[in-house]
Amino acid sequence: MTRRADDLLVAGTLVISIVFFRCAAAVAATEYVRPPPGRVIFTEHTKPASHPQQVHVSLVGANHMRVSWITEDKHVKSVVEYGKVSGNYTASATGEHTSYRYFLYSSGKIHHVKIGPLDPGTVYYYRCGMAGDEFGLRTPPAALPVELAVAGDLGQTEWTASTLSHVGRSDYDVLLVPGDLSYADAQQPLWDSFGRFVQKYASRRPWMVTEGNHEVEAAMALPGWPRPFTAYAARWRMPYEESGSGTSLYYSFDAAGGAVHVVMLGSYADFNSSSEQYRWLARDLAAVDRGATPWVVVLLHAPWYNTNAAHEGEGEAMRKAMERLLYEARVDIVFAGHVHAYERFVSSILISAIARTTRVYNNEANPCGPVHITIGDGGNREGLAFDFRKNHKLAPLSLMREASFGHGRLSVVNATAARWTWHRNDDADSTVRDEIWLESLAANGACQQSSSAAAAADSQNDEL
């Protein structure tokens, strides 16, 4: 079969898939009863004070991972023993620790230990602080394909438990969280409960997170009051230094041996053209070699494109400030949270028997803009955002929108193709409610980068 015939076959299959899922979605939408908010699940620590709790792992560079955990016992050493055979620890690493106070609350000892170098796609067994249970993790692959799960606005409810169960039931390599983790909202024991609640999953696969509005936790900037993001920064340490950032509120990292570059932006850090975040983003995107890195993915909290009445317009200032940088760098996908629903701004159309995608830039359809997806439906305690505006000015660009709990998966197959699916929580089941195949903009000859993000950053006449 010729390459042209292969392309037509793939395109035809894609169109059939799209039509099938649209039809299935129309039927399912009339039958599915949207769930109410689930109750908050408070998870206790029932083991000795020296035993690790709230264990989670994250990526640090190409072949290292960071193990984070908390102990009530302040004398436990920040040491991780690890190896490829259960109970046989052939290596160990010593890290650092911190703690914080929040009014009358005093955290436990928060440990962060960087382990490695580690082999890709390999299971390692590890023990924290030389005490307590053994844990196991699997490192991501060193090349494509790679599976990225995405779930925003998690919380710790019955629906969060359902979402994480569905995520963990199918294999994946990294979980991306676009903000709003614990919903502690200054009630610090809820941060501890959340860490214990997600430990089953977060100790096995790297969780890469960025902050949302519920992580701010600072009502007033007064002397003696906790600084914003105190708990978040202390507990969920991300690899910001490695990407040249000066704060955990925004950073970047690579996956699949650099084939995928993931940028985590801060919706609640300064983002205008004179801000450090803007300058950092321009440098970060300009340094990406799209020949070696065919996929660039961005996460942030407040969506730039949103037809829901909930949080309407809250991401607009950041969009105006930064959208041009993403567009000129040919960012492929932007994931957001904040709105407790699912929405996808991209549509597939059929032109001469070949499927094409219409993306978004500057509030208009643009084949070289990113795909924008809101996925703030992880299971939060506040409930779902039902009020999608049918007559919203962006409605023609919004192909798929539904107020249901769920999660998404980005399966990056190779340098040119990726499959995105959104999985709705249907009680004990997880239903694929939305699916689309995407072509990397780096592989699209019509979308070659016209100028670098760095040049856009230096422009003094940038209207955005």
Side-chain angles (χ1 to χ4, degrees):
M1 185 178 289
T2 66
R3 181 172 180 179
R4 172 66 174 170
D6 282 337
D7 290 342
L8 289 174
L9 178 60
V10 171
T13 303
L14 172 57
V15 172
I16 292 171
S17 298
I18 293 168
V19 171
F20 172 79
F21 276 95
R22 285 180 179 173
C23 293
V27 173
T30 62
E31 298 175 351
Y32 186 65
V33 177
R34 303 296 181 270
R39 67 178 180 87
V40 173
I41 300 173
F42 190 85
T43 307
E44 299 278 1
H45 180 57
T46 59
K47 296 182 178 180
S50 62
H51 284 213
Q53 57 169 296
Q54 308 175 50
V55 180
H56 60 271
V57 296
S58 54
L59 301 176
V60 188
N63 55 2
H64 288 75
M65 296 184 74
R66 178 175 286 116
V67 181
S68 301
W69 76 98
I70 295 179
T71 55
E72 295 173 354
D73 186 343
K74 301 294 180 71
H75 301 289
V76 173
K77 294 182 178 180
S78 301
V79 174
V80 172
E81 304 165 284
Y82 60 99
K84 296 180 181 179
V85 178
S86 176
N88 183 17
Y89 309 124
T90 57
S92 66
T94 300
E96 57 192 33
H97 66 269
T98 187
S99 61
Y100 71 94
R101 294 189 61 86
Y102 194 97
F103 294 119
L104 298 179
Y105 172 88
S106 180
S107 75
K109 187 175 183 179
I110 305 172
H111 308 262
H112 299 294
V113 178
K114 179 179 175 181
I115 63 173
L118 306 173
D119 293 333
T122 303
V123 173
Y124 285 87
Y125 299 91
Y126 65 99
R127 189 170 65 161
C128 304
M130 307 177 73
D133 298 332
E134 177 184 81
F135 297 90
L137 64 84
R138 193 187 71 198
T139 57
L144 297 175
V146 66
E147 180 98 353
L148 306 175
V150 189
D153 297 68
L154 286 173
Q156 45 193 308
T157 72
E158 294 166 313
W159 282 110
T160 315
S162 174
T163 297
L164 293 179
S165 175
H166 296 324
V167 171
R169 205 170 293 172
S170 297
D171 198 15
Y172 68 100
D173 298 302
V174 181
L175 178 69
L176 307 178
V177 183
D180 282 359
L181 281 71
S182 70
Y183 282 77
D185 294 328
Q187 301 178 63
Q188 296 306 300
L190 284 177
W191 273 110
D192 294 313
S193 174
F194 176 78
R196 295 188 286 261
F197 181 83
V198 303
Q199 176 179 279
K200 176 181 177 181
Y201 305 98
S203 62
R204 299 175 180 176
R205 297 288 187 275
W207 279 36
M208 307 305 290
V209 307
T210 189
E211 85 279 2
N213 56 300
H214 287 275
E215 274 73 67
V216 179
E217 295 189 309
M220 296 182 179
L222 297 175
W225 283 63
R227 294 175 60 84
F229 308 106
T230 293
Y232 168 77
R235 295 169 181 269
W236 290 83
R237 184 184 171 95
M238 293 291 112
Y240 63 90
E241 301 101 329
E242 287 77 5
S243 62
S245 170
T247 172
S248 60
L249 300 183
Y250 50 86
Y251 63 97
S252 66
F253 66 94
D254 291 331
V260 183
H261 186 65
V262 182
V263 180
M264 310 292 267
L265 293 180
S267 292
Y268 304 96
D270 290 341
F271 48 69
N272 61 41
S273 59
S274 62
S275 69
E276 180 53 38
Q277 180 175 198
Y278 185 98
R279 291 190 292 268
W280 169 84
L281 176 61
R283 294 192 303 269
D284 185 83
L285 292 175
V288 177
D289 176 2
R290 295 306 292 271
T293 305
W295 293 93
V296 178
V297 177
V298 169
L299 278 82
L300 48 86
H301 189 62
W304 294 357
Y305 289 90
N306 170 35
T307 67
N308 201 296
H311 306 298
E312 186 174 6
E314 290 185 19
E316 182 64 3
M318 190 179 190
R319 183 194 71 79
K320 288 182 176 180
M322 289 185 158
E323 187 178 29
R324 181 181 169 187
L325 290 180
L326 272 58
Y327 177 73
E328 295 196 345
R330 297 300 186 251
V331 167
D332 294 287
I333 309 171
V334 177
F335 292 111
H338 205 34
V339 178
H340 300 163
Y342 174 76
E343 185 166 23
R344 171 166 59 84
F345 285 89
V346 62
S347 60
S348 291
I349 57 177
L350 188 63
I351 301 176
S352 301
I354 298 177
R356 299 295 188 195
T357 55
T358 298
R359 298 157 180 259
V360 184
Y361 172 63
N362 198 25
N363 290 310
E364 296 179 348
N366 188 309
C368 300
V371 175
H372 282 263
I373 294 175
T374 298
I375 188 159
D377 55 353
N380 61 86
R381 58 175 167 75
E382 296 175 336
L384 295 165
F386 295 100
D387 190 8
F388 284 106
R389 297 181 183 270
K390 295 182 179 179
N391 297 322
H392 195 285
K393 66 178 182 180
L394 296 175
L397 302 176
S398 176
L399 177 66
M400 172 65 187
R401 45 188 182 175
E402 180 177 315
S404 299
F405 293 116
H407 78 281
R409 289 174 177 269
L410 181 65
S411 303
V412 184
V413 179
N414 52 42
T416 60
R419 175 177 178 254
W420 166 256
T421 52
W422 175 59
H423 302 243
R424 181 178 68 192
N425 294 359
D426 289 350
D427 298 324
D429 301 318
S430 178
T431 302
V432 176
R433 182 71 173 81
D434 189 30
E435 176 182 33
I436 189 168
W437 282 88
L438 300 171
E439 179 188 33
S440 165
L441 291 178
N444 187 334
C447 294
Q448 295 301 311
Q449 293 168 264
S450 58
S451 61
S452 70
D458 292 337
S459 173
Q460 298 300 314
N461 300 312
D462 187 357
E463 296 180 356
L464 297 177

